[in-house]
């Protein structure tokens, strides 16, 4: 049988990027997805917003829900301060395997812990299994109907502290209407929408940044 889209993306990285150079990995994926075949990475336009929010928060411990091929994992990990950690959750073994190789190619494996499994099962185990007290930053980019239940789970597990920042991809396309209602109507969050476009297209999409107020 032939290769998968994630495997072809990995090949493009190995062919066009420089080992240990995260920016070249990001550029190689963006070029491949813009000119060869589209893939659901956060992309370069929304990626710049992700970069600026991440730099502003400068998290010690960050969480990503939905690794896919590791594009946003690389974008986040390359900006972490020394000693800071990113945990990323992915339940599809084939995607996890490609992501591990892309993260390693970027030279960021020491900053990233890729946990294979479902967010619903793993979030309650984060404290005991990884000694995590809080997440300063959470990037939500997994199934869109799971954004609300997993946000509630993070709250209930005491993994958010005053000032923790949630950044959600795709709140317009494909859309996460229940999530927007939840964070925008809750007194426990201060929310703001960053208008952009769906990765590699002219379609509108955006990121919702929500600060947990404790
Ligand atoms: C539910 N718990 C999970 N735990 C661990 N890994 C998970 C979990 N749930 C999913 N995963 C994992 O997280 C990923 C899922 C990403 C889903 N993303 C999208 O659907 C998505 C879709 C579009 C899109 C827009 C327009 C269009 F015409 C077609 C597509 C754009 C985007 O940027 C997206 O992020 C991965 F695939 C899955 O295994
Ligand atoms: Mg997305």
């Amino acid at each position: 049988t032939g290769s998968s889209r994630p495997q072809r993306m990995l090949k493009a990285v190995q062919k066009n990027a420089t080992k240990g150079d995260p920016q070249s990995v990001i550029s190689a994926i963006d070029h491949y997805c813009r000119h060869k075949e589209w893939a659901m990475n956060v992309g370069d336009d929304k990626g710049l917003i992700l970069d600026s929010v991440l730099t502003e928060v400068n998290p010690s411990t960050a969480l990503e829900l939905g690794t896919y091929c590791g594009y946003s994992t690389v974008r986040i990990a390359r900006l972490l301060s020394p000693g800071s950690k990113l945990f990323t959750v992915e339940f599809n073994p084939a995607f996890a395997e490609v992501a591990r190789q892309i993260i390693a190619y970027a030279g960021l494996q020491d900053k990233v812990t890729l946990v294979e499994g479902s967010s619903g099962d793993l979030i309650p185990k984060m404290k005991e299994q990884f000694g995590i007290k809080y997440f300063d930053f959470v990037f939500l980019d997994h199934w869109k109907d799971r954004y609300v239940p997993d946000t509630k789970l993070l709250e209930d597990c005491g993994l958010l502290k005053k000032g923790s920042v949630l950044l959600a991809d795709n709140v317009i396309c494909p859309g996460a209407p229940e999530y927007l209602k939840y964070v925008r109507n809750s007194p426990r969050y201060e929310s703001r929408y960053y208008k952009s476009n769906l990765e590699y297209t002219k379609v509108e999409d955006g990121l919702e940044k929500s600060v947990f107020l404790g």
Side-chain angles (χ1 to χ4, degrees), residues 40-42 46 139-141 144 147 169-170 199 205:
M40 59 180 176
N41 315 117
V42 73
K46 289 185 287 179
F139 183 55
L140 298 93
D141 194 19
K144 308 314 162 192
Y147 285 12
D169 190 24
N170 310 118
E199 50 266 28
D205 188 21

Side-chain angles (χ1 to χ4, degrees), residues 20-46:
D21 175 356
Q23 191 54 55
S24 75
V25 169
I26 291 164
S27 301
I29 293 172
D30 284 333
H31 187 274
Y32 183 76
C33 294
R34 192 175 282 283
H35 300 293
K36 297 286 186 314
E37 52 180 342
W38 188 92
M40 59 180 176
N41 315 117
V42 73
D44 40 1
D45 299 331
K46 289 185 287 179

